[in-house]
Amino acid sequence: MKKRIGILTGGGDAPGLNGIIESVVRSLAGADFEVIGIEDGFEGVFESRTVSLTAASVAGVHQRAGTMLGSSNKSSTQGRVEEFQKKFAQLKLEGLIAVGGDGTFQSLSRVIQGLKIIGVPKTIDNDLAGTDVTFGFDTACAVVAESIDALRSTAEAHKRVFVVETMGRTAGWIALGGGLASYADAILIPERPFSRADLLAFLKKKQASGQRGFMLVASEGVAAENEMASIAFKVEGSHQKERYGGFSETLARWIEDETGWESRHMVLGHLQRARHPTTTDRFLTLNMGVEAAKMVREGDWNKAVVYRDGRVTRAPLQDLMKPARLVEPDHRWVKHAQELGIFI
Ligand code: F6P
């Protein structure tokens, strides 16, 4: 009799989720296992909504962003542990492959007793502990870099400053990675509160030099020294309720007022999660899916598939539940930016 393996995708989507699904299902296809997909993260467990996955039904999904199983960043096991365990038992699974971020793994940590789980870390923000990189991050950086490259043409045509706001919550990885890849003029990240006076002096120097356009990348959670980050609204029921936003608009107005350099802002928003995955993210998810399937075959449960020191490997599941991995203020990428004369 075939062993039944479940797979679910939880939290905000990230390009590469479909790659994990295709890779896991195709690797496990055969005589010993059947794979079922749980729909919409934990909601699918509570509501017993599943779909049978075969090598044929997943073929080709790796190239699409989003997740063919659906996801939810509001469903949680909080206050529903017994209900979860009962519903989960009804699925008659040998084990579960959970692809998610901090909210998903925190939710799982409440119900993990007696379950067999393999965790696969996911977030475009790149801030999960336990892994050197998360899939979706490279694709998000590609969106940022391509957008800055494109916007630079109109900035130069009109002699304007462009403030481009990226996602990332309290982590500046996307702004830093995308800003470096496009050689932006300034990169503002939450881990390095910036001095308004220093930024103005930098802008004025560039203006005086005759530079026509100026590209500034700002992570949504950034703030100037002694100021608070700009929270746009809160989502009740979400693992992290705050949604950051609005900083780029106020910064663009301030820059124009202070320097006279005409300024515009652009919020890249969910476009950073919606692009088809880059080749780097495809390789990463292919490798992670193959490894997760290998762990299933070996019965090596309650571990995570992570990327460390240049390769996909296994780690304790608990490693994914540690506090967020932020950019160290003197990280080597920060130093690269400084060496290039970028304001950071
Ligand atoms: O954590 C991923 C992320 O895309 C953040 O970068 C962003 O702040 C947030 O999710 C947006 O969440 P939502 O999809 O609820 O708007």
Side-chain angles (χ1 to χ4, degrees):
M1 185 146 134
K2 288 187 180 184
K3 287 181 179 165
R4 233 176 170 211
I5 306 300
I7 180 164
L8 73 74
T9 54
D13 61 346
L17 283 167
N18 284 322
I20 296 276
I21 296 168
E22 179 166 350
S23 175
V24 162
V25 174
R26 289 178 62 163
S27 305
L28 283 179
D32 299 335
F33 298 98
E34 70 161 310
V35 185
I36 63 156
I38 297 171
E39 294 178 339
D40 298 330
F42 295 117
E43 277 177 27
V45 177
F46 289 120
E47 296 164 14
S48 311
R49 283 191 284 112
T50 61
V51 57
S52 168
L53 298 174
T54 62
S57 73
V58 300
V61 290
H62 66 268
Q63 59 184 292
R64 297 207 307 262
T67 159
M68 67 177 287
L69 294 176
S71 192
S72 167
N73 60 5
K74 284 197 226 158
S75 66
S76 156
T77 59
Q78 192 160 20
R80 304 176 77 182
V81 171
E82 270 177 40
E83 186 189 352
F84 181 92
Q85 279 162 344
K86 200 171 139 214
K87 287 288 187 181
F88 193 82
Q90 286 169 6
L91 295 175
K92 298 203 179 341
L93 298 180
E94 164 74 10
L96 174 72
I97 298 174
V99 195
D102 42 4
T104 304
F105 296 115
Q106 206 186 64
S107 247
L108 278 173
S109 68
R110 293 190 196 99
V111 295
I112 213 161
Q113 288 290 336
L115 302 186
K116 292 177 178 170
I117 290 175
I118 291 168
V120 184
K122 159 254 49 161
T123 170
I124 63 162
D125 300 344
N126 199 36
D127 63 348
L128 268 187
T131 184
D132 294 347
V133 71
T134 52
F135 69 81
F137 169 63
D138 188 66
T139 305
C141 286
V143 173
V144 174
E146 286 161 11
S147 303
I148 291 168
D149 288 346
L151 289 167
R152 194 187 291 279
S153 60
T154 178
E156 287 176 354
H158 288 269
K159 287 195 194 162
R160 283 176 177 165
V161 173
F162 253 92
V163 181
V164 180
E165 183 173 312
T166 71
M167 281 189 166
R169 302 188 56 83
T170 54
W173 292 109
I174 300 176
L176 184 54
L180 276 178
S182 56
Y183 291 67
D185 298 289
I187 301 173
L188 306 182
I189 59 172
E191 295 88 340
R192 292 176 59 91
F194 66 97
S195 148
R196 283 188 183 261
D198 289 353
L199 178 60
L200 269 191
F202 187 82
L203 277 155
K204 284 181 178 162
K205 206 168 145 202
K206 292 285 181 189
Q207 200 178 18
S209 76
Q211 183 170 320
R212 292 181 64 91
F214 186 100
M215 303 308 296
L216 184 154
V217 195
S219 185
E220 61 183 4
V222 73
E225 282 168 355
N226 305 318
E227 293 181 24
M228 301 287 283
S230 169
I231 292 172
F233 58 93
K234 294 190 179 179
V235 179
E236 286 314 318
S238 178
H239 169 60
Q240 288 167 314
K241 294 185 178 49
E242 303 76 23
R243 292 293 178 273
Y244 295 87
F247 177 79
S248 56
E249 183 163 14
T250 50
L251 191 75
R253 291 301 98 237
W254 178 77
I255 289 174
E256 188 169 312
D257 288 348
E258 293 291 328
T259 63
W261 200 344
E262 197 179 17
S263 302
R264 293 289 186 269
H265 75 282
M266 175 95 219
V267 180
L268 297 178
H270 293 80
L271 283 172
Q272 292 157 97
R273 297 201 327 220
R275 183 192 190 270
H276 59 278
T278 57
T279 314
T280 300
D281 276 334
R282 292 179 192 207
F283 275 131
L284 184 55
T285 53
L286 181 148
N287 280 320
M288 287 182 145
V290 166
E291 188 66 16
K294 221 191 246 178
M295 290 157 81
V296 168
R297 280 196 299 271
E298 292 170 11
D300 195 14
W301 295 100
N302 296 327
K303 288 206 179 138
V305 183
V306 296
Y307 187 84
R308 286 185 191 169
D309 303 323
R311 59 187 301 260
V312 169
T313 183
R314 305 173 190 186
L317 194 52
Q318 287 69 20
D319 284 11
L320 302 182
M321 300 169 197
K322 293 182 181 157
R325 192 178 57 87
L326 303 178
V327 179
E328 288 152 24
D330 60 349
H331 187 272
R332 63 180 191 286
W333 291 3
V334 171
K335 290 188 178 144
H336 292 343
Q338 289 163 336
E339 277 154 27
L340 288 175
I342 294 172
F343 181 92
I344 185 160

